[in-house]
Amino acid sequence: QVQLSESGGGSVQSGDSLTLSCVASGPRIYGTSCMGWFRQAPGKEREVVASLDFDGTKTIANSFKGRFTLSEDNNKNTLSLIMTHLTPEDTAMYFCAAEPSHREWCILVPEYNYWGQGTQVTVSS
């Protein structure tokens, strides 16, 4: 069974940086499937933040380019979301997700079927 576990959330000040990590375990997901980071703020729809294709191609959604980056540790099956220059608008629950039925163009995959429990990020001004 695929399991995704996020960590690294917390409360920070505006302008701060934060790194979220997602560890994938179970049937081989890392390196063979789409993986992504999403977020959902209260009262708003979930939105994609970044994705990782099976071949290591990393894509940051346009809204986050210049501030967010992805980093991966293949040996630890870990995908990290590095967030900088955080603002209160970045306050949300952040989720890691995987989708084995797709391997590339992961930023465009409409549905991910495996999700972590989420990690809360709160940015105060």
Side-chain angles (χ1 to χ4, degrees):
Q1 182 177 351
V2 174
Q3 290 186 329
L4 303 170
S5 180
E6 304 99 330
S7 62
S11 296
V12 297
Q13 299 287 321
S14 185
D16 284 352
S17 300
L18 201 60
T19 296
L20 309 181
S21 293
C22 170
V23 179
S25 60
R28 191 176 178 208
I29 283 286
Y30 199 89
T32 66
S33 309
C34 281
M35 292 188 69
W37 277 100
F38 296 76
R39 75 179 191 183
Q40 186 165 20
K44 295 186 177 182
E45 292 187 357
R46 186 174 62 205
E47 59 180 334
V48 63
V49 176
S51 68
L52 177 70
D53 291 4
F54 80 104
D55 61 356
T57 299
K58 303 177 185 67
T59 305
I60 307 295
N62 288 337
S63 300
F64 308 101
K65 286 183 179 178
R67 294 196 303 129
F68 292 6
T69 58
L70 282 179
S71 176
E72 56 174 332
D73 184 336
N74 293 331
N75 292 329
K76 297 181 179 179
N77 290 350
T78 300
L79 180 65
S80 297
L81 179 66
I82 303 166
M83 306 184 295
T84 65
H85 300 96
L86 289 166
T87 73
E89 288 67 39
D90 293 314
T91 295
M93 184 72 80
Y94 286 71
F95 298 90
C96 177
E99 179 46 53
S101 67
H102 293 272
R103 303 199 309 165
E104 54 190 350
W105 296 104
C106 299
I107 198 73
L108 300 177
V109 170
E111 184 175 353
Y112 280 68
N113 285 301
Y114 295 93
W115 293 85
Q117 80 285 355
T119 185
Q120 177 69 38
V121 172
T122 302
V123 185
S124 57
S125 57

